[in-house]
Amino acid sequence: IKEAFGQHLHADVITKLGMGRTFQNIRLFTSLSALDNVKLGRHCRTRANFFGTVLGLPGARREELDSAAKAAECLQFVGLGKKLSSRAASLPYGDQRRLEIARALATEPKLLLLDEPAAGMNPTESRELISLVRRISRAGIAILIIEHDMKVIMNLADRIFVLDHGELIASGTPEEIRNDKKVIEAYLGA
């Protein structure tokens, strides 16, 4: 349960309100296909109940087809359109990161929180991530990134907030942060 605006909200309610997220440590359903992983992200946007699904009622079938189509669009958007049926566990690390982003996009977020999206990525994967995040932003989704890879964040962010041991020590444009004495001291030494 999270508290927001003085109210306690469950994660599913937060998602329905428009916040999607990824995790620092990848959390995929490794035995499922890429498509099925992303379809699970669509669950918050569906209305079919257990009985409608089990009985194969027309509304539930339509919703299932719609979820599959939207999940495929999300996979195409992140560059995994040819890997719909690939098991999540069989995907390379960078593709697993993009799969997690596709699942978050399937929730139809207004705000996307990316927690360390470049963690463990090689330089090529990081460049692809930067391109993907820019496309997400151009699609009208606000993005909040927690990231330690300064090359990634300097190439993406309009505004950066720098914390040192949980304390805000600077905020500004990438250029302002690059030249901030407190940031240089905290991260490069005096």
Side-chain angles (χ1 to χ4, degrees), residues 25 52 57 63 75 107 137 160 182:
N25 297 316
L57 297 179
E63 223 171 41
L75 286 164
T107 68
S137 178
I160 299 172
K182 287 181 185 175

Short mmCIF file of all heavy atoms in Angstrom, two decimals, residues 25 52 57 63 75 107 137 160 182:
data_model
loop_
_atom_site.label_atom_id
_atom_site.label_comp_id
_atom_site.label_asym_id
_atom_site.label_seq_id
_atom_site.Cartn_x
_atom_site.Cartn_y
_atom_site.Cartn_z
N ASN A 25 15.86 -4.49 -10.71
CA ASN A 25 16.11 -5.90 -11.02
C ASN A 25 14.94 -6.38 -11.87
O ASN A 25 13.78 -6.26 -11.46
CB ASN A 25 16.23 -6.73 -9.75
CG ASN A 25 17.41 -6.29 -8.91
OD1 ASN A 25 18.49 -6.04 -9.43
ND2 ASN A 25 17.20 -6.17 -7.61
N GLY A 52 -16.46 -14.89 -17.25
CA GLY A 52 -16.50 -14.52 -18.66
C GLY A 52 -15.34 -15.11 -19.43
O GLY A 52 -15.48 -15.56 -20.57
N LEU A 57 -16.99 -16.06 -23.06
CA LEU A 57 -18.05 -15.16 -23.50
C LEU A 57 -17.50 -14.17 -24.54
O LEU A 57 -16.32 -13.85 -24.52
CB LEU A 57 -18.65 -14.42 -22.31
CG LEU A 57 -19.33 -15.32 -21.26
CD1 LEU A 57 -19.86 -14.49 -20.11
CD2 LEU A 57 -20.46 -16.13 -21.90
N GLU A 63 -11.93 -8.85 -25.65
CA GLU A 63 -10.93 -8.21 -24.81
C GLU A 63 -9.58 -8.92 -24.91
O GLU A 63 -8.54 -8.28 -24.93
CB GLU A 63 -11.42 -8.20 -23.35
CG GLU A 63 -11.16 -6.91 -22.69
CD GLU A 63 -11.84 -6.81 -21.32
OE1 GLU A 63 -11.84 -7.79 -20.56
OE2 GLU A 63 -12.35 -5.73 -21.03
N LEU A 75 5.30 -4.32 -28.08
CA LEU A 75 6.54 -5.04 -28.40
C LEU A 75 7.17 -4.48 -29.67
O LEU A 75 8.40 -4.33 -29.74
CB LEU A 75 6.27 -6.54 -28.52
CG LEU A 75 6.03 -7.24 -27.18
CD1 LEU A 75 5.40 -8.61 -27.40
CD2 LEU A 75 7.33 -7.36 -26.40
N THR A 107 0.32 -0.78 -19.80
CA THR A 107 -0.63 -0.28 -18.81
C THR A 107 -1.22 1.07 -19.20
O THR A 107 -2.07 1.59 -18.51
CB THR A 107 0.04 -0.14 -17.42
OG1 THR A 107 1.01 0.91 -17.45
CG2 THR A 107 0.68 -1.45 -16.96
N SER A 137 8.96 9.45 -24.83
CA SER A 137 8.70 10.85 -24.49
C SER A 137 7.95 11.56 -25.62
O SER A 137 6.98 12.29 -25.38
CB SER A 137 10.02 11.57 -24.19
OG SER A 137 9.79 12.92 -23.90
N ILE A 160 17.71 17.43 -14.12
CA ILE A 160 18.33 16.39 -13.30
C ILE A 160 18.32 16.82 -11.84
O ILE A 160 18.59 17.99 -11.52
CB ILE A 160 19.78 16.13 -13.76
CG1 ILE A 160 19.80 15.66 -15.21
CG2 ILE A 160 20.49 15.13 -12.84
CD1 ILE A 160 21.19 15.56 -15.83
N LYS A 182 29.19 20.99 -6.09
CA LYS A 182 28.76 19.99 -5.11
C LYS A 182 28.68 18.61 -5.74
O LYS A 182 29.05 17.61 -5.12
CB LYS A 182 27.40 20.37 -4.52
CG LYS A 182 27.43 21.53 -3.56
CD LYS A 182 26.03 21.78 -3.03
CE LYS A 182 26.01 23.02 -2.16
NZ LYS A 182 24.65 23.36 -1.74
#
